[in-house]
Amino acid sequence: MKRKLGPSTTAIHGQPARRTDWTPVVAPLYQSSTFTNPVGSGEEVMYSRYGNNPNQLTLAARYAELEGAEAAIFVASGMAATALAHLAVLRPGDHLLASSWIYGGTRRLFEEEFGRFGIEVSYVQPDQPRQWRRMVRKSTRAIFVETPTNPTMRILDLTPMAQIARDGGFALLVDATFASPVNFRPLEHGADIVITSATKYLNGHSDVIAGAVAGSASLVEEVTRLMQLWGQAIDPHAAWLVERGMRTLGVRMERHNVNGMAVARWAEGREEFTKVHYPGLPSHPEHALAAQLMDGFGGMVGLELKGGAKAAERFLRRLKLVTHAPSLAGVESLISEPRLTSHRRLSEEQRGKAGIPDGFLRLSCGIEDAEDIIADLEQALG
Ligand SMILES: *Cc1c(COP(=O)(O)O)cnc(C)c1O
């Protein structure tokens, strides 16, 4: 049996193979929309919208290895990955059971767009796991969840959903963007499809928008077919950049994990914060589960600042190193307020109910020196 490589090695080499002499160590960028094809051949042509450009193919194979999947495909954004993965398993008249703790863009996709395809969506509160089975209908064809969740960093046990999906013969789709395959691989826990925004940890440098879907070969084939027709192929240059970013995924995640933990521990000792949301802290509601399922707790930390929106704004204006910007998981620390970004469509009361009161800050710890991140946060507390 072939020896299994670790995630850092896999992120750099994929399946390593001996190279012939005088080949470039770094994969060349094929910035070409089209390629020559043999006269008279009935084979599929090589064309970058088809997802068969060499940069697209290399990247997909490498990511599939990391997730432990048969196959994967990269597309132009995390949202494209979410949309295509669902369209691959749902038909008009089907029902989708979704977690209510999901990315705002995904929620809008379900609520504003899926109706036009005759797809019904209902939402389960994941802290009431019995609801999953109770809410399954005859027409249910898929379950969708996100873990860790944004921005409260809750960790979901996939076991009950995986069992229900298996019993019903339908698919479990998991968006694990906040973990990266270094920290958590949903396919090892019963998921059928992994969705990731490669914009985040996979690329890790805040300079690319991209997404990926991994799963069985037949599923990825269907996602590829849809992508060719609906047109969300990843640009070869973006694919090349994600591949470059992924080469440091292992060491970046190591540092994100260390920094997330250091910042969370520091914040928990400060009276200015009423609550700190981080799965690595014993105070986290799923700390034990997270420790069991995950190889690291990541760099995302939720902070509840005393004094609500006003205090949050004062704090954000004082920051020098930590940058006020949406998005996450890059080498630089970023901070944002869910009340104005992902959850701005909710009322103050709804946000409170969702566990995101005003004053909630979502911090993406970068890979700077932890002491410097902490010193910046500390001086901003005033
Ligand atoms: C950012 C994000 C997305 C969307 O990804 P894009 O690359 O911005 O389209 C989806 N899910 C989660 C959890 C995200 O954080």
Side-chain angles (χ1 to χ4, degrees):
M1 213 180 108
K2 223 177 345 181
R3 203 181 143 269
K4 195 171 160 22
L5 299 170
S8 299
T9 312
T10 303
I12 297 167
H13 296 283
Q15 275 297 344
R18 252 205 74 76
R19 294 161 193 269
T20 51
D21 291 337
W22 311 116
T23 51
V25 167
V26 172
L29 166 58
Y30 293 87
Q31 191 68 34
S32 187
S33 57
T34 189
F35 295 80
T36 58
N37 69 320
V39 175
S41 166
E43 267 186 84
E44 185 180 70
V45 298
M46 234 168 144
Y47 185 57
S48 293
R49 176 168 48 85
Y50 288 4
N52 58 13
N53 171 306
N55 296 112
Q56 297 164 331
L57 291 175
T58 313
L59 180 64
R62 189 155 313 171
Y63 175 62
E65 292 275 343
L66 275 175
E67 293 286 6
E70 248 173 49
I73 174 123
F74 275 75
V75 288
S77 69
M79 283 306 296
T82 303
L84 293 175
H86 283 87
L87 292 181
V89 296
L90 295 166
R91 300 283 171 273
D94 287 350
H95 170 242
L96 167 69
L97 204 50
S99 163
S100 58
W101 297 343
I102 55 175
Y103 176 71
T106 306
R107 181 90 185 209
R108 284 188 59 195
L109 174 72
F110 293 167
E111 294 196 346
E112 295 176 27
E113 293 302 306
F114 276 26
R116 77 162 86 210
F117 299 106
I119 297 165
E120 268 196 84
V121 187
S122 43
Y123 299 92
V124 170
Q125 278 288 117
D127 55 353
Q128 293 161 41
R130 287 214 192 106
Q131 278 192 354
W132 290 108
R133 198 172 288 278
R134 220 175 288 145
M135 286 177 70
V136 170
R137 302 180 193 168
K138 273 207 182 71
S139 55
T140 305
R141 299 311 305 153
I143 293 182
F144 170 77
V145 302
E146 203 175 290
T147 184
T149 65
N150 173 30
T152 51
M153 295 303 296
R154 297 294 293 268
I155 306 298
L156 270 52
D157 179 7
L158 299 180
T159 318
M161 299 79 131
Q163 188 61 48
I164 293 162
R166 210 172 306 123
D167 293 349
F170 51 81
L172 173 60
L173 295 84
V174 179
D175 178 341
T177 298
F178 272 40
S180 93
V182 170
N183 282 348
F184 181 62
R185 294 161 299 283
L187 298 181
E188 293 175 2
H189 302 275
D192 301 290
I193 300 172
V194 192
I195 297 164
T196 195
S197 166
T199 307
K200 316 293 168 55
Y201 283 122
L202 285 191
N203 179 60
H205 292 74
S206 309
D207 51 10
V208 169
I209 298 283
V213 179
S216 69
S218 61
L219 234 148
V220 169
E221 196 180 314
E222 178 62 5
V223 171
T224 306
R225 188 186 73 81
L226 292 169
M227 181 204 70
Q228 293 180 349
L229 298 176
W230 292 71
Q232 304 94 327
I234 187 171
D235 183 78
H237 187 225
W240 188 88
L241 280 171
V242 175
E243 195 200 326
R244 148 176 277 228
M246 266 169 61
R247 279 183 229 150
T248 53
L249 182 65
V251 284
R252 280 190 288 109
M253 290 317 298
E254 239 173 75
R255 179 62 77 88
H256 284 298
N257 292 340
V258 166
N259 285 0
M261 194 73 206
V263 168
R265 278 210 181 110
W266 165 81
E268 212 174 35
R270 296 290 306 213
E271 58 175 30
E272 292 90 342
F273 298 112
T274 47
K275 207 161 176 191
V276 180
H277 304 257
Y278 187 71
L281 294 176
S283 60
H284 184 277
E286 289 92 31
H287 174 63
L289 178 71
Q292 180 200 327
L293 296 180
M294 303 176 77
D295 295 327
F297 302 116
M300 298 302 299
V301 182
L303 300 168
E304 286 180 34
L305 195 57
K306 261 185 209 162
K310 269 220 164 73
E313 282 179 20
R314 202 178 320 121
F315 178 76
L316 292 171
R317 286 213 175 86
R318 285 189 183 138
L319 289 168
K320 296 192 181 89
L321 175 78
V322 179
T323 305
H324 181 232
S327 199
L328 57 120
V331 295
E332 60 290 289
S333 293
L334 299 181
I335 194 163
S336 61
E337 271 188 282
R339 79 180 166 104
L340 302 174
T341 54
S342 55
H343 293 72
R344 77 172 177 281
R345 273 153 205 277
L346 303 185
S347 67
E348 190 178 339
E349 193 193 330
Q350 286 172 317
R351 283 195 297 269
K353 267 200 194 134
I356 312 157
D358 290 357
F360 195 113
L361 298 165
R362 188 189 73 180
L363 171 63
S364 168
C365 297
I367 63 169
E368 302 96 338
D369 298 285
E371 313 83 84
D372 295 331
I373 302 172
I374 291 170
D376 192 42
L377 298 171
E378 195 159 274
Q379 64 79 26
L381 286 175

